[in-house]
Amino acid sequence: DAGVTQSPTHLIKTRGQQVTLRCSPKSGHDTVSWYQQALGQGPQFIFQYYEEEERQRGNFPDRFSGHQFPNYSSELNVNALLLGDSALYLCASSSRFPYNEQFFGPGTRLTVL
Amino acid sequence: SQQGEEDPQALSIQEGENATMNCSYKTSINNLQWYRQNSGRGLVHLILIRSNEREKHSGRLRVTLDTSKKSSSLLITASRAADTASYFCATPMDSSYKLIFGSGTRLLVRP
């Protein structure tokens, strides 16, 4: 049973560029959440997708957008990259109900130069 | 904003010793979860304790929850070098779906 997978593993971009990160949820899960983790900090919630719609959003600007596909996989897009967007981006999958545990992928390390 | 705050920020112990880390949170919770993260990679779910539970065990892990003090502790018994990692507590905010994480405890287990 495959767990949560993310691609790519590492990514280097320059300021102003756009990036797309991808996530496939654990088998049987239909909900995907995205988190940003700066160095030395805990993960910060970006948004969550369920039934191909954004269900909840954290305190992130509109430069951060996402998408969920019919097979429950998801993408995170970040436009107009800033140096401060450098972080580990984590995808987590879960069942549709609140309060359940979330299973995390290995993350994508984004470096913005 | 962060809901949970772990204490201590860093902990260094000898292999075989027990490691205890604490988490405090601010608002009422439905449950509290502990995660482990190795070398800045993905988080591994360790244990979930619900608000009506006081203690839970999983292998060498023991978690307690005191809702009156809004705190939780994670005890790792007979630690191993492989337990070296960062440990985070996380709580779902109210009826929302998002998890709020603390800043973590960095545990170093020396061989």
Side-chain angles (χ1 to χ4, degrees), chain A residues 9 35 37 40-45 48 55-56 88 90 96-102 104-107 109, chain B residues 1-2 30-31 33 35 37 39-43 45 48 50 88 92 94-99 101-103 106:
Chain A
T9 304
Y35 292 80
Q37 185 179 23
Q41 299 296 316
Q44 299 286 318
F45 177 81
Q48 184 180 84
R55 178 157 67 178
Q56 191 166 20
L88 180 68
L90 295 162
R96 66 192 65 182
F97 303 108
Y99 306 128
N100 282 353
E101 62 192 286
Q102 297 186 14
F104 284 79
R109 174 72 64 185
Chain B
S1 63
Q2 291 189 316
N30 173 278
N31 67 63
Q33 303 174 34
Y35 288 83
Q37 185 176 41
S39 302
R41 299 303 291 168
L43 283 83
H45 186 271
L48 181 154
R50 303 195 185 281
F88 295 89
D94 299 321
S95 59
S96 77
Y97 298 89
K98 66 181 181 182
L99 286 176
F101 286 83
S103 53
R106 295 183 304 279

Side-chain angles (χ1 to χ4, degrees), chain B residues 13-87:
Chain B
I13 60 174
Q14 202 72 35
E15 201 166 28
E17 294 180 337
N18 295 341
T20 300
M21 49 205 90
N22 304 295
C23 168
S24 60
Y25 56 91
K26 300 173 184 176
T27 65
S28 61
I29 59 172
N30 173 278
N31 67 63
L32 187 143
Q33 303 174 34
W34 285 91
Y35 288 83
R36 184 186 74 224
Q37 185 176 41
N38 292 85
S39 302
R41 299 303 291 168
L43 283 83
V44 174
H45 186 271
L46 296 176
I47 199 164
L48 181 154
I49 185 166
R50 303 195 185 281
S51 60
N52 61 354
E53 297 176 307
R54 291 297 168 259
E55 188 171 312
K56 202 163 184 178
H57 296 256
S58 177
R60 294 183 296 111
L61 306 180
R62 171 178 170 254
V63 169
T64 61
L65 180 64
D66 187 336
T67 53
S68 66
K69 295 181 179 178
K70 292 187 169 54
S71 67
S72 174
S73 67
L74 170 67
L75 168 67
I76 304 174
T77 60
S79 63
R80 306 166 182 169
D83 294 328
T84 294
S86 291
Y87 292 82

